[in-house]
Amino acid sequence: MTGAAASVARFAAMGTRVELHVFGCDDPAALAAARAAILSVEDALTIHRPSPTTALNDALSSGGNAVVEDRLLFGALVQVDALWRGTGGLFDPSLGHWSALTIDRASRRVSSTRPLTFDFGGFGKGYALDRAVTALRAMGVPSALLSAGESSIAVLGQHPLGGDWPLAVPHPANDGAWLVELELQDAALSISSTIGPGAAKPGRAAMIRPTDGAIVTTAATAIAAAATGAEAEALSTALLVSDPVARDRLCAAAPEQRFLFPHAAPVGAERALEPTA
Amino acid sequence: MTDDDFALSRRTFLDRVLLASAGVGMSAAAPWAARAAEDIAKGPRVRIGVIGTGDRGRTLIQNLNKTRNCTVAALCDNFEPHMAKARAYVPANTPIFTDHRKMLEAKGIDAVVIATPLDLHARHTIDALEAGYPVFCEKAMARTIADCSAMVTRARARGKILQIGHQRLFNPTYLNALKRAQAGEIGNITQIRASWHRNRSWRRQIPPGGTEREINWRLYRDRSAGLMTELATHQLQVANWFMGGLPTRVMGSGSICFWKDGRDVYDQVALIYDYSDGRKVIYTSMLNNARYGCEEQIQGSKGTIEPELGRIYQEVQPGAVPALARMRADVQAGRKNTVPIGGATWFPELPVTTPGDSLGWGEYDETMLQFEGFGEAVRSGKEVPGLLAQAYYASVASLLGEQAIDQGQALAWPADLVTF
Ligand SMILES: NC(=O)c1ccc[n+]([C@@H]2O[C@H](COP(=O)([O-])OP(=O)(O)OC[C@H]3O[C@@H](n4cnc5c(N)ncnc54)[C@H](O)[C@@H]3O)[C@@H](O)[C@H]2O)c1
């Protein structure tokens, strides 16, 4: 394949900038389908305007139950449920209350024994990229790189010049240094960091440890590669909030794909940078 | 400006109003606009008696003179120096009065325009309605919410037109702004930040023969709610209009902070008006710093409108990711290089100095247009639709704001208001 035919879409979605780089396919409908897939995930999962998620939050915020009609939201809940189990409860977009939740797949009824609400945050970005990848694949796109806020990345197929996509995660403090270099194909990458450009911007949601509700303030970067964006997001979040025992267990399961880098506080800083303003 | 120039500018002005008011949802949001831009009926001019020939009264007289369907037929003021200035704008034989009841009894008029101090609006309006005359009264409506309601109730009981002056309702820039907001260009409007900041005392020189309370009525509570009724009313009207609803409650704080000159109205106020779905109007007004002037920043999820400046701004779109641009260039050149990417999620910068786009149009005759609408309403006996509700709710909002400040507590929107 030559690198000639490439097209790109750039737009704001899910509170950040999204870029879709498609190679080897000239059909503008492919990019349009991927973009629509991302925006429909935003519509389903957003908590910044009325959405299926805010409707469900309204119902569960008093500990009730509701039938989830929205296909994308229900799909997200089912995936999160599996990832919550897979990470031993460390990935929990309900701020540590997922155990109170029952999801009945047949009736699509979600009920909770205690008041809770969902904020899908980073997971939403990974989940949206997964839908976009599916859409591009259905349109016959052989190769693509998708980025949501540069912290959620998905690659479809091979690099346009063949072989894996070489990606590197830069050190957040030391210019020119890399934390890790990865070679990926048909995979997703998620980076969660409490420092670096953007980490201290107003409006950033804090990283919360579900086990005790504390805000994670230690300077660290967690990196996870996985088959899907949803998994990668769940794992990078879990790594960032994990204690050393849990971290070792998570990393040992896929040492080439999961990393946690603690950073010393930058010179001159009196305390570790906080993730939110 | 020659008469021909004026006729031309009137036509362009009306065309702009019409253009701005013809949009999806506009007939519901601004039902008066399309009607105001219609041609006026033939027939004798509506004879207007003006009560109050102070600063505003004289501006109104000049605007009445520009209309095609009204004429000033009597003047009333109990302060001679103001009357003398006003007479310069009307024919020498125009009857003049010092007592409004005498003017109402003298007949010779078809309708009344009121531009007296706020505390007199209710009495002058109700006296005129009782005498059988339609009334145009300047904003704010009255000194109390009860009086505002009484004015509406009395007009209805007497079957007479009551119109309250709110010129922004006829301003093509505002109408255009509303049209673009209705079309979704700035997304859901979730917050309006409005301010009227001036850097002057607001105190007027007392002319010979004048008294402090008569000339500086704005500075005393028994006559005016100060910043709230004289300035905020305009912007609270705009806020209700763009929010497409009414506040649910208001909280506020006020002080006499800078001009400690014997006035007893606040020279600084700050208020929050809650609207449904968590939307808010944040209002500030002060008299010792003019940097931020008079503006309503109408903020939605996709953009901002600043109608006083006549600008619309889109939320800033993110720039390209440099590492991905390099990746594309590399692929193009047949190079496969490592793509450095990833860190804390990229977050949009706060937009600060984007220039925005013009909403168009700078000069208006909206006060004249209000009067042409009023003239047609008097002739047909049918009020210009929608206006009174806008004015009434704007006055209630400003007076409720004053009460919330005075009482130091959040006040719910009153349940016992007149309905429209
Ligand atoms: N829409 C606007 O943009 C706008 C602008 C300015 C003023 N206004 C409104 O116009 C009104 C007048 O404001 P102004 O600045 O002209 O005040 P002003 O003090 O200059 O004029 C008020 C006039 O009413 C006269 N008056 C007082 N008592 C009277 C009585 N009993 N009978 C007859 N005349 C009487 C006074 O002598 C004075 O000439 C206020 O309600 C104000 O809110 C509206």
Side-chain angles (χ1 to χ4, degrees), chain B residues 208-344:
Chain B
T211 65
E212 166 70 5
R213 295 255 161 181
E214 279 302 322
I215 299 299
N216 283 314
W217 57 268
R218 281 177 171 77
L219 305 185
Y220 299 99
R221 278 175 166 261
D222 53 343
R223 309 216 64 186
S224 167
L227 299 171
M228 293 309 299
T229 44
E230 305 315 314
L231 302 182
T233 343
H234 286 293
Q235 297 172 294
L236 295 172
Q237 180 269 309
V238 170
N240 289 340
W241 198 20
F242 278 77
M243 285 294 198
L246 298 173
T248 53
R249 65 168 186 166
V250 53
M251 50 204 117
S253 172
S255 54
I256 301 172
C257 179
F258 188 80
W259 298 101
K260 301 175 197 284
D261 57 0
R263 72 186 62 202
D264 60 16
V265 297
Y266 305 119
D267 68 355
Q268 179 168 166
V269 295
L271 302 103
I272 299 172
Y273 289 85
D274 278 334
Y275 287 71
S276 61
D277 295 328
R279 300 172 304 153
K280 292 180 198 339
V281 169
I282 298 172
Y283 189 79
T284 61
S285 185
M286 65 157 116
L287 292 172
N288 62 293
N289 180 307
R291 168 79 174 87
Y292 293 101
C294 169
E295 187 58 277
E296 299 94 43
Q297 300 162 334
I298 301 169
Q299 302 170 90
S301 48
K302 294 185 184 159
T304 303
I305 287 176
E306 294 178 1
E308 291 290 335
L309 282 173
R311 313 285 303 168
I312 182 166
Y313 309 84
Q314 298 305 318
E315 287 290 275
V316 169
Q317 291 300 307
V321 180
L324 295 182
R326 250 186 329 272
M327 177 269 291
R328 296 176 62 79
D330 281 344
V331 169
Q332 210 80 46
R335 285 190 303 260
K336 185 172 167 185
N337 280 334
T338 299
V339 184
I341 189 161

Side-chain angles (χ1 to χ4, degrees), chain A residues 48-71:
Chain A
H48 301 300
R49 56 177 190 269
S51 71
T53 299
T54 59
L56 182 59
N57 280 348
D58 283 346
L60 298 188
S61 61
S62 47
N65 66 83
V67 173
V68 176
E69 304 284 358
D70 186 82
R71 195 176 49 85

Side-chain angles (χ1 to χ4, degrees), chain B residues 14-317:
Chain B
L14 292 182
D15 286 347
R16 285 167 184 176
V17 170
L18 207 56
L19 195 68
S21 54
V24 178
M26 285 299 281
S27 58
W32 55 87
R35 187 154 145 205
E38 279 169 13
D39 267 344
I40 55 158
K42 295 247 182 300
R45 286 173 180 261
V46 176
R47 295 167 302 163
I48 305 279
V50 178
I51 311 176
T53 59
D55 275 13
R56 185 65 181 168
R58 294 195 296 277
T59 303
L60 297 186
I61 290 166
Q62 293 170 69
N63 276 284
L64 284 163
N65 287 342
K66 289 189 210 164
T67 64
R68 294 164 296 173
N69 57 359
C70 298
T71 182
V72 178
L75 297 178
C76 171
D77 200 299
N78 57 8
F79 187 55
E80 208 286 321
H82 285 176
M83 178 65 91
K85 287 188 192 170
R87 292 188 72 179
Y89 299 108
V90 297
N93 61 353
T94 306
I96 60 168
F97 300 87
T98 53
D99 183 334
H100 71 284
R101 286 163 302 188
K102 292 278 178 325
M103 184 182 87
L104 299 174
E105 282 160 17
K107 308 294 175 193
I109 55 171
D110 305 309
V112 171
V113 165
I114 296 166
T116 50
L118 180 66
D119 60 320
L120 299 176
H121 286 183
R123 200 176 90 210
H124 288 157
T125 298
I126 288 170
D127 284 352
L129 291 168
E130 287 301 330
Y133 292 113
V135 171
F136 177 103
C137 180
E138 261 303 344
K139 61 94 266 225
M141 280 184 84
R143 182 65 190 87
T144 65
I145 294 176
D147 274 351
C148 296
S149 302
M151 286 163 71
V152 178
T153 312
R154 202 66 69 93
R156 285 180 179 170
R158 297 285 304 172
K160 295 291 164 198
I161 307 284
L162 173 61
Q163 188 173 324
I164 307 295
H166 268 283
Q167 61 268 33
R168 282 166 182 75
L169 293 168
F170 289 87
N171 179 316
T173 303
Y174 276 85
L175 288 165
N176 201 28
L178 185 72
K179 174 164 131 176
R180 295 182 65 168
Q182 296 258 335
E185 282 190 47
I186 61 167
N188 277 349
I189 297 171
T190 52
Q191 185 183 107
I192 299 177
R193 203 163 58 175
S195 60
W196 204 320
H197 293 186
R198 286 179 168 172
N199 194 351
R200 55 191 144 103
S201 72
W202 222 14
R203 178 173 285 291
R204 292 177 175 181
Q205 280 287 324
I206 315 288
T211 65
E212 166 70 5
R213 295 255 161 181
E214 279 302 322
I215 299 299
N216 283 314
W217 57 268
R218 281 177 171 77
L219 305 185
Y220 299 99
R221 278 175 166 261
D222 53 343
R223 309 216 64 186
S224 167
L227 299 171
M228 293 309 299
T229 44
E230 305 315 314
L231 302 182
T233 343
H234 286 293
Q235 297 172 294
L236 295 172
Q237 180 269 309
V238 170
N240 289 340
W241 198 20
F242 278 77
M243 285 294 198
L246 298 173
T248 53
R249 65 168 186 166
V250 53
M251 50 204 117
S253 172
S255 54
I256 301 172
C257 179
F258 188 80
W259 298 101
K260 301 175 197 284
D261 57 0
R263 72 186 62 202
D264 60 16
V265 297
Y266 305 119
D267 68 355
Q268 179 168 166
V269 295
L271 302 103
I272 299 172
Y273 289 85
D274 278 334
Y275 287 71
S276 61
D277 295 328
R279 300 172 304 153
K280 292 180 198 339
V281 169
I282 298 172
Y283 189 79
T284 61
S285 185
M286 65 157 116
L287 292 172
N288 62 293
N289 180 307
R291 168 79 174 87
Y292 293 101
C294 169
E295 187 58 277
E296 299 94 43
Q297 300 162 334
I298 301 169
Q299 302 170 90
S301 48
K302 294 185 184 159
T304 303
I305 287 176
E306 294 178 1
E308 291 290 335
L309 282 173
R311 313 285 303 168
I312 182 166
Y313 309 84
Q314 298 305 318
E315 287 290 275
V316 169
Q317 291 300 307

Side-chain angles (χ1 to χ4, degrees), chain B residues 360-377:
Chain B
W361 312 320
E363 283 178 36
Y364 321 112
D365 278 308
E366 61 266 28
T367 299
M368 178 277 290
L369 203 55
Q370 294 194 86
F371 282 133
E372 287 199 341
F374 179 63
E376 292 305 279

